[in-house]
Amino acid sequence: RITSAAVQYANERIQFNTPIAQFGAIKEKLAHMATSCYAGESACYRAAYDVEKRIQSFVAEGLTHQEAELKGVEDFAIECSLLKVGASEDIQNAADHGIQIMGGMGFSADMPMESAWRDARIGRIYEGTNEINRLLTVDMVLKRAMKGKLDLMGPAMSVQSELMSIPDFGSEEEGAFAKEKKAIANFKKCILMVAGAAVQKLMMTLSKEQEILMNIADMAIITYHAESALLRLEKLTALKGEAATSVQADIVKTYIYDAADAINKAGKDALNSFAEGDELRMMNIGLKRFTKVEPFNTKDARRRICAQLVADNGYKL
């Protein structure tokens, strides 16, 4: 709704005899709004589907529907926390972009964007503040690992071993979206590397290092959204073909390209907080390796995304 309202206003507002939707600065904002909306939608669809499948499996095992719902949601509590943070902050950012596109009118109570921004602001507070949800995300992962329900240190040690080995310069994987899949796999290695090192280094005091926990949570939030968007794109492409999903492909590739820098920043902030010397240098090299993505013209991609929004006079992806 926020993105569609911004697109419609940009199509109608004329400056210098031209709709402002034709200006590059506006195109970039509209494309940012659509990209975050698409990724957020994808993550919500994915989590809802996974929860529903888990509920159905519990019902099939003989649980009542109420018991199955409680256990099903509990199994995906981590993903729900990730979504709460990601969605609430994306909505706030989209409303902020919308106000900027509408200029002074956007700040007026007569326009939909002002109420959208106000309504969005509470989302980062209720149902547990975003800070609490970030901390809970990592805390739940660590507790599951300690109970033996989740193998965290095994994969983390594998990533550390990979850092000591010579990078693989072999042939590239083939197939649709192979580069994007590799990027997301590497993002997960970043999370394992940073989280594993933090657990080893800080042990029982990690729970007090809230800044580090939030850094790791941000890496997880971005990666979950990126992977969800890619999974959605794969399914749509299989159904409709590449030509029909070219704009969605631009969205996913742009999101992953931006995600690499965001994950690198969060990872560095965490590592610099507890590592030093050769250990820090080695992990920073690993972080750089795992967040390396090929050059991508995001300006042109965002212009193509905006062109579709303008043609549809709203968000209809």
Side-chain angles (χ1 to χ4, degrees):
R1 183 173 67 88
I2 295 173
T3 303
S4 291
V7 172
Q8 290 159 13
Y9 181 86
N11 274 339
E12 297 169 2
R13 181 74 168 96
I14 306 297
Q15 280 281 42
F16 308 109
N17 298 318
T18 304
I20 64 171
Q22 300 303 315
F23 298 138
I26 302 298
K27 290 180 180 181
E28 183 178 36
K29 289 186 182 300
L30 292 173
H32 271 298
M33 295 169 73
T35 300
S36 64
C37 184
Y38 189 88
E41 280 181 345
S42 303
C44 289
Y45 293 154
R46 177 187 180 185
Y49 176 74
D50 288 341
V51 170
E52 186 59 33
K53 276 183 62 181
R54 188 61 54 87
I55 291 171
Q56 291 173 0
S57 70
F58 284 138
V59 170
E61 291 174 6
L63 273 64
T64 66
H65 193 76
Q66 185 178 22
E67 292 172 334
E69 282 186 340
L70 290 172
K71 287 181 66 65
V73 172
E74 182 183 358
D75 283 356
F76 289 94
I78 294 171
E79 288 82 353
C80 290
S81 282
L82 294 176
L83 286 175
K84 193 274 179 181
V85 176
S88 63
E89 294 186 356
D90 283 344
I91 292 170
Q92 186 82 74
N93 290 335
D96 190 70
H97 281 311
I99 288 175
Q100 198 69 15
I101 289 168
M102 292 184 175
M105 285 293 292
F107 207 64
S108 168
D110 294 330
M111 300 297 285
M113 209 58 70
E114 183 269 347
S115 62
W117 194 94
R118 247 187 314 107
D119 292 343
R121 186 61 185 87
I122 191 62
R124 290 155 54 194
I125 298 172
Y126 68 68
E127 298 297 335
T129 66
N130 284 10
E131 290 74 22
I132 291 296
N133 273 281
R134 280 182 166 93
L135 298 176
L136 280 175
T137 295
V138 183
D139 182 62
M140 284 187 284
V141 170
L142 295 177
K143 284 182 178 177
R144 290 185 186 184
M146 291 174 65
K147 292 179 180 178
K149 295 181 179 180
L150 176 69
D151 184 10
L152 173 64
M153 294 311 297
M157 294 303 292
S158 296
V159 174
Q160 288 190 13
S161 297
E162 185 177 340
L163 290 179
M164 303 301 292
S165 64
I166 298 173
D168 182 14
F169 296 109
S171 58
E172 292 288 334
E173 293 184 29
E174 297 182 355
F177 312 116
K179 293 178 181 177
E180 289 74 26
K181 291 177 183 177
K182 182 179 179 181
I184 290 170
N186 283 338
F187 293 166
K188 293 179 181 179
K189 290 179 182 179
C190 288
I191 299 170
L192 287 167
M193 180 186 71
V194 175
V199 170
Q200 286 181 311
K201 190 83 171 182
L202 301 171
M203 299 298 286
M204 301 306 293
T205 64
L206 181 56
S207 61
K208 298 178 181 178
E209 300 290 345
Q210 293 188 347
E211 298 91 338
I212 296 172
L213 295 176
M214 289 194 292
N215 290 148
I216 296 171
D218 283 339
M219 297 168 75
I221 291 166
I222 296 165
T223 301
Y224 186 80
H225 281 68
E227 185 176 41
S228 300
L230 179 58
L231 290 171
R232 181 184 181 185
L233 173 62
E234 284 188 281
K235 287 187 177 182
L236 284 174
T237 302
L239 288 171
K240 300 181 179 181
E242 291 186 15
T245 57
S246 60
V247 173
Q248 287 89 339
D250 278 330
I251 286 175
V252 173
K253 291 176 181 179
T254 299
Y255 192 91
I256 291 175
Y257 183 84
D258 290 340
D261 284 339
I263 290 172
N264 183 282
K265 174 66 166 59
K268 282 194 296 186
D269 287 348
L271 291 174
N272 290 339
S273 299
F274 65 84
E276 56 186 15
D278 291 339
E279 179 189 27
L280 177 59
R281 282 190 289 273
M282 178 61 69
M283 285 193 289
N284 273 327
I285 290 172
L287 197 61
K288 184 176 181 181
R289 183 199 301 181
F290 295 141
T291 55
K292 183 179 180 181
V293 291
E294 293 190 6
F296 179 65
N297 190 336
T298 56
K299 183 206 74 174
D300 284 354
R302 289 192 176 106
R303 287 192 172 193
R304 291 190 293 268
I305 295 166
C306 185
Q308 186 65 57
L309 297 173
V310 168
D312 292 339
N313 198 31
Y315 178 87
K316 300 176 182 179
L317 298 171

